[in-house]
Every structure is written in structure tokens, then in C-alpha cells.
């Protein structure tokens, strides 16, 4: 694939880092783009911030199960490496009160981080996410991606915000004008979504059908079958 160009202007051999607040966020918003980048020779790494024991809205999940789902989804998308940083066995961790630690995590986690991956592109939750964890991770990732002098800390030349599962319920009006054609990669995204048996629902925002509908509607605006939209925070080619 020498001389070819992948999505987002990246090239085979380039690296991308996706920061996800929880397992499934890397799939619901940018999963088709992740699959496309991986298929086009870009090494995609996923840093998932936290998984917690939870029982709410008639369902429950255990961290060990969520971890297995995460690994299966990453495999379906072709992710090079993925890790879950913080495991909350009691369900009491509040990452919103750990902002400094969040920045440090994204900058320097020993397995997947800005320091270890040195990404050309960074995908983070958008600022418009209403969920408190998404807001905290967005702010921390945005801070971690700030421009630094050469040699001090990696500065990704592309920083994009991706959608969360319910981000259309938002008071923040961001400009979603960067679009990636994911028509050939919907099946990979669907397989990754199916991996999250504890998280998907038969209807509503967490249903595969509704996520498919969003990607289809986005694609129809750009004369393709499926597409994903992003908020560009930095584009430096």
C-alpha cells in the first residue's frame, strides 16, 4: 500500500489513538472509521478509561464480562491494541473528581497513551456529550492533546471529537462537518456492536438499528451508504 492514502489523510504505517470513556464508546461513535483505518494500514490503539460494576435500568454487568466484550469488539474492528485502564469493582469510582489523573493517564499510560502510541490522529469524545464521564474524558483528552514543544510530548496533528450514544441530547452546538465514508465497514461495526451484549438494547439509542439509521442518514447526505461525522478540533497536514 506504499503511496496510498487512508481515511483522514493518514497513510499506511501511521498511528491513531482512540480514547473511550467506557467499553463500547470506541464502537458506537467511530467504529466504522476505526475499522476503515485499520483495514487501510493504520495502527489503531484504544485507551478505554474505565469499566465499573453496574446495575441500573433493569440490567447489570460485571467488569470481567465487559472486558471480554471490549476485546471481542476490538478484534472485530481490527484494533492493534486496546486496554482498560481503571477497573471499578464496587461501582463507586467517580472519574469526574480525578481530572488531573485523567490527563496523566491519557498522556502517559504504560500500555496505550500519547507517549506509547505517539499517534498522528487522536479521536476523543466530543464536547457535546451530556454524560458526566464523557465530559470529563473530553476535557482531559483535550488538555492532553495541547501543543507542546518538539521532543517534550507527542502532539497529534489531527484531533477529532466523535459522537456518544445519546449525544443528540445535548445543549452544546458543535460543528460536525468532517465526515468519513464507512460504507464498506458497517458490517465490521455491527459485529463489534453485537459483541456488547450487556450494553445493546432492542430499541432506542442503544439499539443497533438506531445506530445504523444514524450512520445511514449521515451517509445519505454525502452520497454514500454509511458515514460517521466528527468535530474537528485540530487538522494540521
Amino acid at each position: 500500500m506504499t503511496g496510498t492514502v487512508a481515511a483522514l489523510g493518514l497513510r499506511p504505517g501511521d498511528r491513531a489513538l482512540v480514547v473511550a470513556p467506557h467499553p463500547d464508546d470506541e464502537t458506537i461513535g467511530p467504529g466504522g472509521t476505526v475499522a476503515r483505518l485499520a483495514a487501510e494500514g493504520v495502527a489503531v490503539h484504544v485507551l478505554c478509561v474505565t469499566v465499573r460494576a453496574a446495575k441500573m435500568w433493569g440490567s447489570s454487568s460485571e467488569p470481567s464480562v465487559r472486558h471480554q466484550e471490549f476485546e471481542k469488539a476490538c478484534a472485530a474492528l481490527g484494533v492493534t491494541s486496546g486496554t482498560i485502564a481503571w477497573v471499578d469493582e464496587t461501582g463507586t469510582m467517580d472519574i469526574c473528581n480525578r481530572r488531573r489523573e485523567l490527563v496523566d493517564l491519557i498522556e502517559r499510560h504504560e500500555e496505550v497513551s500519547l507517549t506509547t502510541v505517539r499517534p498522528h490522529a487522536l479521536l476523543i469524545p466530543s464536547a457535546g456529550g451530556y454524560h458526566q464521564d464523557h465530559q470529563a474524558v473530553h476535557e482531559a483528552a483535550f488538555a492532553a492533546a495541547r501543543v507542546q514543544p518538539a521532543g517534550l510530548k507527542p502532539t497529534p496533528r489531527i484531533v477529532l471529537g466523535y459522537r456518544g450514544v445519546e449525544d443528540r441530547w445535548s445543549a452544546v452546538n458543535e460543528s460536525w462537518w468532517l465526515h468519513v465514508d464507512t460504507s464498506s465497514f458497517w458490517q465490521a461495526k455491527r459485529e463489534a456492536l453485537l459483541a456488547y451484549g450487556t450494553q445493546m438494547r432492542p430499541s432506542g439509542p442503544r439499539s443497533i438499528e438506531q445506530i445504523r439509521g444514524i450512520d445511514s442518514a449521515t451517509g445519505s447526505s454525502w452520497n454514500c451508504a454509511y458515514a460517521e461525522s466528527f468535530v474537528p478540533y485540530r487538522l494540521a497536514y
Side-chain angles (χ1 to χ4, degrees):
M1 293 188 288
T2 303
T4 61
V5 179
L8 305 177
L10 299 175
R11 295 185 179 276
D14 283 350
R15 299 171 301 280
L17 172 61
V18 181
V19 180
H22 317 104
D24 75 9
D25 292 316
E26 81 295 327
T27 298
I28 290 171
T33 301
V34 168
R36 177 175 171 179
L37 288 171
E40 293 174 339
V42 175
V44 183
H45 304 262
V46 178
L47 172 63
C48 177
V49 173
T50 186
V51 61
R52 63 168 60 92
K55 185 173 184 179
M56 58 188 301
W57 307 119
S59 66
S60 61
S61 60
E62 295 296 330
S64 61
V65 175
R66 295 291 301 280
H67 197 282
Q68 292 170 9
E69 293 176 337
F70 174 70
E71 290 183 339
K72 188 175 179 180
C74 285
L77 297 177
V79 168
T80 299
S81 71
T83 191
I84 299 175
W86 294 336
V87 177
D88 179 10
E89 295 285 357
T90 64
T92 58
M93 181 188 295
D94 184 359
I95 67 172
C96 298
N97 294 324
R98 305 176 72 171
R99 299 299 178 96
R100 178 66 257 177
E101 292 176 77
L102 273 174
V103 176
D104 290 342
L105 180 77
I106 296 164
E107 289 181 341
R108 294 188 290 272
H109 188 268
E110 63 275 11
E111 295 181 38
V112 178
S113 64
L114 289 173
T115 299
T116 58
V117 174
R118 305 187 70 84
H120 301 85
L122 175 66
L123 277 59
I124 68 177
S126 70
Y130 77 95
H131 191 290
Q132 66 276 5
D133 289 357
H134 286 232
Q135 293 172 359
V137 173
H138 166 81
E139 292 178 5
F142 200 88
R146 64 194 183 278
V147 176
Q148 296 286 354
L152 181 60
K153 182 178 70 67
T155 301
R157 67 173 187 262
I158 299 171
V159 182
L160 305 177
Y162 62 81
R163 292 189 188 279
V165 66
E166 291 124 354
D167 281 8
R168 291 178 185 272
W169 174 251
S170 175
V172 177
N173 184 23
E174 293 190 278
S175 182
W176 296 85
W177 60 260
L178 192 151
H179 313 280
V180 177
D181 182 349
T182 59
S183 301
S184 298
F185 301 95
W186 166 251
Q187 289 305 319
K189 180 171 181 174
R190 181 176 183 276
E191 183 179 347
L193 289 169
L194 286 169
Y196 287 110
T198 65
Q199 303 305 302
M200 294 297 104
R201 301 290 180 264
S203 62
R206 284 191 169 273
S207 69
I208 293 177
E209 186 59 26
Q210 186 155 318
I211 294 168
R212 187 199 67 80
I214 292 171
D215 289 4
S216 176
T218 302
S220 68
S221 299
W222 301 97
N223 198 31
C224 58
Y226 297 98
E228 293 171 345
S229 297
F230 297 88
V231 179
Y233 298 121
R234 180 186 298 139
L235 292 174
Y237 293 99

